Amino acid sequence: ICRDSEYVARNKSQDSGIAEMEELPVPRNIKISNITCDSFKISWEMDSKSKDRITHYFIDLNKKENKNSNKFKHKDVPTKLVAKAVPLPMTVRGHWFLSPRTEYTVAVQTASKQVDGDYVVSEWSEIIEFCTADYSKVHLTQLLEKAEVIAGRMLKFSVFYRNQHKEYFDYIREHHGNAMQPSVKDNSGSHGSPISGKLEGIFFSCSTEFNTGKPPQDSPYGRYRFEIAAEKLFNPNTNLYFGDFYCMYTAYHYVILVIAPVGSPGDEFCKQRLPQLNSQDNKFLTCREEDGMLVYHHAQDVILEVIYTDPVGLSLGTVAEITGHQLMSLSTANAKKDPSCKTCNISVGR
């Protein structure tokens, strides 16, 4: 499949070699299958009459937001893709065109290339809608490898922490039996991330200040902080997964990791969709036994966002007010990833 910059479908009343001829069959009953984040297969039925005259297919593929262009689709709408007629189903692929988790519309014409280079075309088929898939483990592994390059050296830490407003913790005590409940992850990060809008969990941080080895006193998420010993969330009874790597038009980058108790619903969700990390040996977050004790390290040069997939009781840790500032500008809530950053983007969509 290629872009044909010279081809523009024109109304047959215009002075053009492209003409409508009833003999060419119109594609019908279009079916989309084998959908990935950057490809799909398309097939259709058509009358056998004049079928042997077909040399090309014209495929009009649009993001669904462009509803108006589809609403007025006629013979004079430029065709986006020109493909030689091949046996169906035909694979449509190309990172230069398709983005993950995006709704598209597609319509098809059959065409016959004439000796003078012009085309005879059929009427457009009906318009079909479909949505591309999330990043696969293969794509996430590419992101993982990019993140490893900049993760930096490992620093020791001992607690996970979560900042919120006082009202949040009051609500947890009053309505949820003193236990923080998992909630669906927002749409921050990579557009193709399979955890956005799907995985349920609780966000924690573990970053430490270089000079103190302790959590920073500032936070974008609220003045009250829940702290919990690292071993209560991350231990030999949990699995660790890589979730995402992104930035928000900034010099620093974020890595999302998921900690899931072995065999839990969160663990089953991640096992199918995310690359699993060796908890004792990876570039981001480690848990190792030394002298009979669990010792923890985190990467220095990326900001880790850790999602824990089960409820966490407040009685397992402490809640206290921080002394620093609430830095709202650092919040990543629903933050959009910078699609132009060469450090954290892979060549498949955005």
Side-chain angles (χ1 to χ4, degrees):
I1 293 175
C2 64
R3 291 179 174 179
D4 191 334
S5 58
E6 297 177 2
Y7 170 72
V8 177
R10 300 182 181 89
N11 190 298
K12 67 179 177 182
S13 65
Q14 292 177 314
D15 182 20
S16 167
I18 299 175
E20 299 282 342
M21 292 185 67
E22 291 180 358
E23 288 85 355
L24 282 182
V26 179
R28 65 177 191 277
N29 295 334
I30 295 176
K31 290 190 169 49
I32 306 293
S33 61
N34 296 78
I35 300 171
T36 71
C37 69
D38 67 339
S39 70
F40 62 92
K41 286 188 176 181
I42 184 169
S43 62
W44 56 83
E45 298 171 6
M46 51 189 168
D47 293 332
S48 57
K49 184 181 177 185
S50 300
K51 195 173 178 180
D52 56 347
R53 293 180 53 226
I54 298 171
T55 62
H56 290 77
Y57 303 135
F58 294 152
I59 301 174
D60 190 9
L61 189 62
N62 292 291
K63 287 190 177 180
K64 194 178 171 185
E65 299 94 83
N66 303 331
K67 286 179 182 173
N68 291 338
S69 66
N70 290 329
K71 203 181 296 180
F72 304 107
K73 176 174 290 302
H74 293 295
K75 297 177 284 290
D76 57 342
V77 176
T79 292
K80 301 294 191 301
L81 300 174
V82 179
K84 287 186 176 179
V86 295
L88 300 177
M90 179 178 69
T91 299
V92 177
R93 179 188 302 278
H95 66 262
W96 48 270
F97 201 89
L98 292 170
S99 295
R101 199 184 277 204
T102 303
E103 293 184 321
Y104 287 96
T105 61
V106 64
V108 187
Q109 284 178 310
T110 57
S112 177
K113 191 168 187 177
Q114 308 299 291
V115 289
D116 60 1
D118 287 332
Y119 292 91
V120 173
V121 296
S122 72
E123 293 282 354
W124 282 106
S125 70
E126 62 184 327
I127 296 169
I128 298 296
E129 297 180 358
F130 71 99
C131 185
T132 47
D134 298 332
Y135 283 153
S136 68
K137 280 188 182 180
V138 172
H139 301 112
L140 287 171
T141 300
Q142 292 174 21
L143 270 184
L144 161 63
E145 290 167 353
K146 277 181 161 279
E148 288 177 334
V149 173
I150 69 160
R153 70 189 185 101
M154 303 290 276
L155 299 178
K156 189 178 283 192
F157 77 101
S158 60
V159 298
F160 289 103
Y161 56 94
R162 172 176 173 81
N163 276 68
Q164 282 286 350
H165 300 286
K166 182 176 182 295
E167 292 76 16
Y168 168 83
F169 293 109
D170 290 342
Y171 185 86
I172 294 300
R173 293 185 185 100
E174 187 175 343
H175 297 282
H176 288 296
N178 212 38
M180 294 182 290
Q181 301 297 315
S183 58
V184 177
K185 183 194 170 297
D186 64 13
N187 288 315
S188 60
S190 300
H191 186 61
S193 171
I195 62 177
S196 293
K198 295 181 180 178
L199 177 67
E200 294 188 359
I202 306 169
F203 264 106
F204 286 92
S205 299
C206 61
S207 298
T208 54
E209 291 183 321
F210 179 74
N211 54 344
T212 66
K214 295 181 179 180
Q217 279 302 311
D218 300 323
S219 169
Y221 300 110
R223 294 195 56 78
Y224 284 78
R225 174 174 293 168
F226 172 75
E227 280 192 15
I228 183 170
E231 60 264 24
K232 291 184 178 176
L233 297 187
F234 187 28
N235 54 59
N237 296 316
T238 57
N239 283 327
L240 180 67
Y241 298 90
F242 174 84
D244 201 3
F245 177 45
Y246 71 100
C247 72
M248 304 178 296
Y249 303 90
T250 52
Y252 44 87
H253 282 78
Y254 296 84
V255 168
I256 297 179
L257 302 176
V258 183
I259 297 175
V262 173
S264 66
D267 190 36
E268 293 305 313
F269 177 96
C270 294
K271 198 170 289 184
Q272 296 173 33
R273 297 168 178 82
L274 305 180
Q276 185 170 347
L277 300 175
N278 182 336
S279 298
Q280 300 181 50
D281 184 18
N282 67 80
K283 299 284 190 181
F284 311 109
L285 188 71
T286 60
C287 165
R288 294 175 182 156
E289 188 172 328
E290 295 179 12
D291 299 324
M293 296 181 62
L294 294 177
V295 179
Y296 295 87
H297 289 83
H298 71 81
Q300 175 186 352
D301 294 343
V302 291
I303 299 174
L304 295 181
E305 297 183 305
V306 180
I307 301 176
Y308 187 76
T309 61
D310 271 14
V312 177
L314 294 181
S315 60
L316 296 176
T318 59
V319 177
E321 189 172 4
I322 59 173
T323 58
H325 302 286
Q326 186 175 339
L327 305 174
M328 293 303 294
S329 62
L330 294 180
S331 172
T332 60
N334 284 307
K336 298 304 175 189
K337 179 174 181 174
D338 177 1
S340 64
C341 178
K342 290 183 171 59
T343 301
C344 62
N345 280 293
I346 55 178
S347 61
V348 182
R350 292 291 179 259

